Amino acid sequence: MADIDYKVIIIGAGSAGLCTAYHLQKIGIDDFKILEKGEGLGGTWFWNQYPGAECDVQSHLYSFSFEPKPDWSRPFAGQAEILDYFNHIADKYDIRRRVQFNTEVEALQWQDAEGYWKITTQDGEVLRAQIVVSAIGMFNNIVWPNIPGLEDFKGNYWHSARWDTAHDLIGERVGVIGLAASAIQFVPEIAPTVKQLHLYQRTANWVVPKDNTPYTEEQLETFRNDPAALQKSRDDIYAVWNTLATFDDKKVLADIEAAGLERIAAVEDPDTRRKLTPDHPFGCKRPLFSDLYYPVFNRNNVELITTEIERITQDAIVT
């Protein structure tokens, strides 16, 4: 094998990249580098900073088994708390110094004769490694809807995954195109402050209850002082998700749908209720969880629009 720069190069400094780095060090492999296209680590929790961003998996499970955290503030932690946890991991296990930020990989080419990977970055840097681990995740590239005229719009617009945190929405007219996992989290956050909120829905999704009551101090003390209690919580969550993920327990699915329909029934306008009611069984599309979403539709400044968008002009969305 020809000379290489690193034994292992990891692409991405999100949860998978950090976990890989931890385990490489654990087995004695120190000759590795992490290439991260962003200026910070944490992956999706670095990029997604929209209001109300939080995980849909309870944090006692959505955390590393080698670094349990007994003091998550609530069952489903928010973006900032998760990002703090990943930064803690990077610092505690001396991973940060191995991350090369602002480095996007443009090409990978296996050099068969020499027996190494040639990694080319967008800046033209070339690195060689025996092993490459792709830890880029599922959401590293944002996707814009293919709507004619989008780039002609003269107002402010952005993708939820690149939220303009400097822009104040108070008193503004806002259109949200697409009502899925991200939108059901940020819509309840911005609805009370904007002047008018137009929500464009193509498909009605199942949005089922999500009990995210903050832990009491007594509960936190139990988790801090009793590792077995924290592990039991993790195991119980795993068992629930392992059962749910196959979507084959008819009673579980029926109970979930009933809970979702109960929340929709609290929407006062009958036409809006009809538009919000899914026409497919729970599990056919990505499940969504929120206790805050459906009450938004009882606000006077919120309108649900389900007719197809034809185009976008300089100052309007035309259905």
Side-chain angles (χ1 to χ4, degrees):
M1 180 186 297
D3 290 340
I4 58 175
D5 298 295
Y6 299 98
K7 183 177 181 63
V8 182
I9 281 185
I10 303 165
I11 305 175
S15 58
L18 293 173
C19 189
T20 303
Y22 167 84
H23 283 287
L24 286 176
Q25 292 181 145
K26 186 177 179 181
I27 62 175
I29 297 177
D30 293 316
D31 183 18
F32 68 89
K33 190 81 170 179
I34 304 176
L35 305 181
E36 167 55 50
K37 72 175 181 179
E39 59 187 24
L41 55 82
T44 190
W45 302 107
F46 169 79
W47 294 107
N48 286 268
Q49 300 188 22
Y50 58 80
E54 64 184 21
C55 193
D56 279 344
V57 175
Q58 296 94 322
S59 295
H60 286 170
L61 179 61
Y62 194 85
S63 51
F64 295 128
S65 58
F66 60 82
E67 186 69 15
K69 176 177 165 64
D71 58 349
W72 291 106
S73 63
R74 46 189 168 144
F76 301 88
Q79 174 266 336
E81 195 171 5
I82 298 171
L83 187 59
D84 285 346
Y85 173 77
F86 286 141
N87 276 283
H88 161 76
I89 295 293
D91 293 332
K92 178 176 179 178
Y93 296 102
D94 195 26
I95 297 171
R96 188 181 302 275
R97 66 182 175 87
R98 302 180 182 277
V99 183
Q100 182 173 317
F101 293 104
N102 299 306
T103 303
E104 184 168 358
V105 174
E106 186 174 77
L108 289 174
Q109 295 173 310
W110 173 250
Q111 309 298 303
D112 198 46
E114 297 85 354
Y116 66 79
W117 285 98
K118 176 184 176 183
I119 302 102
T120 306
T121 72
Q122 233 177 24
D123 294 335
E125 181 182 12
V126 177
L127 297 169
R128 296 167 298 176
Q130 181 183 356
I131 299 166
V132 172
V133 177
S134 173
I136 62 175
M138 299 168 59
F139 307 113
N140 57 90
N141 290 318
I142 62 175
V143 178
W144 287 93
N146 185 23
I147 301 174
L150 176 62
E151 295 180 355
D152 298 330
F153 186 65
K154 298 301 184 185
N156 295 285
Y157 71 96
W158 57 79
H159 195 287
S160 62
R162 301 293 184 270
W163 193 272
D164 187 351
T165 56
H167 189 91
D168 193 344
L169 293 175
I170 293 177
E172 297 199 339
R173 295 169 61 88
V174 179
V176 176
I177 299 175
L179 300 180
S182 298
I184 68 160
Q185 293 184 343
F186 71 72
V187 162
E189 298 294 321
I190 68 174
T193 62
V194 302
K195 179 180 180 180
Q196 183 69 36
L197 189 56
H198 305 281
L199 304 179
Y200 294 85
Q201 172 188 279
R202 183 171 60 178
T203 303
N205 289 302
W206 284 102
V207 183
V208 299
K210 178 180 185 177
D211 183 8
N212 202 19
T213 304
Y215 289 119
T216 65
E217 188 55 39
E218 290 77 12
Q219 288 174 306
L220 291 175
E221 279 300 305
T222 297
F223 294 138
R224 292 188 188 106
N225 299 322
D226 185 359
L230 182 60
Q231 183 63 46
K232 183 179 186 305
S233 175
R234 180 183 177 93
D235 294 342
D236 290 346
I237 295 167
Y238 177 86
V240 169
W241 277 105
N242 206 35
T243 298
L244 178 61
T246 56
F247 299 107
D248 62 351
D249 189 317
K250 303 304 180 186
K251 183 181 186 308
V252 169
L253 296 181
D255 290 345
I256 291 175
E257 290 188 6
L261 292 172
E262 183 180 350
R263 296 300 174 91
I264 296 174
V267 176
E268 295 166 0
D269 178 65
D271 186 52
T272 303
R273 288 200 304 270
R274 178 183 59 79
K275 292 177 179 178
L276 290 171
T277 303
D279 61 2
H280 59 273
F282 179 84
C284 287
K285 295 179 180 290
R286 201 271 206 202
L288 307 178
F289 304 88
S290 174
D291 294 323
L292 307 175
Y293 180 62
Y294 288 128
V296 163
F297 295 97
N298 291 330
R299 300 185 58 88
N300 292 328
N301 68 330
V302 174
E303 178 187 11
L304 178 65
I305 302 168
T306 57
T307 48
E308 184 177 355
I309 296 174
E310 181 181 89
R311 68 186 187 280
I312 294 176
T313 67
Q314 292 186 4
D315 62 357
I317 297 173
V318 182
T319 64

